[in-house]
Amino acid sequence: IDDATDALVQRALALEPAQPVALTLAAMAAQQRGQHAQAAQFWERLAGTMKADDPLRADVTARAKAARSPKGP
């Protein structure tokens, strides 16, 4: 994700903090920059927007956990 796209994602999150696509892109961008703690925060925010029985929630939670691990994802 390039800087211009990341800026748009951040604008989208400023307008709608729980927007799932923007949270996903923000997490991916943070991971690309090596900002694993920030990526984990975005993944966790995304998981918080999902229903408990959403089959993708486990994957999002696993991504957050991996980003928080000492080695990163």
Side-chain angles (χ1 to χ4, degrees), residues 5-72:
T5 303
D6 189 44
L8 290 173
V9 168
Q10 295 306 318
R11 268 183 71 194
L13 288 174
L15 295 171
E16 191 175 338
Q19 210 297 321
V21 174
L23 287 169
T24 301
L25 292 172
M28 292 169 48
Q31 281 182 214
Q32 285 179 342
R33 292 189 303 267
Q35 297 172 332
H36 302 295
Q38 185 179 32
Q41 290 174 348
F42 285 122
W43 289 126
E44 289 164 353
R45 283 175 52 191
L46 177 60
T49 70
M50 303 169 90
K51 293 181 180 183
D53 62 347
D54 187 324
L56 296 177
R57 190 167 194 250
D59 180 59
V60 171
T61 302
R63 288 175 185 263
K65 185 177 179 179
R68 289 217 182 269
S69 76
K71 296 177 186 175

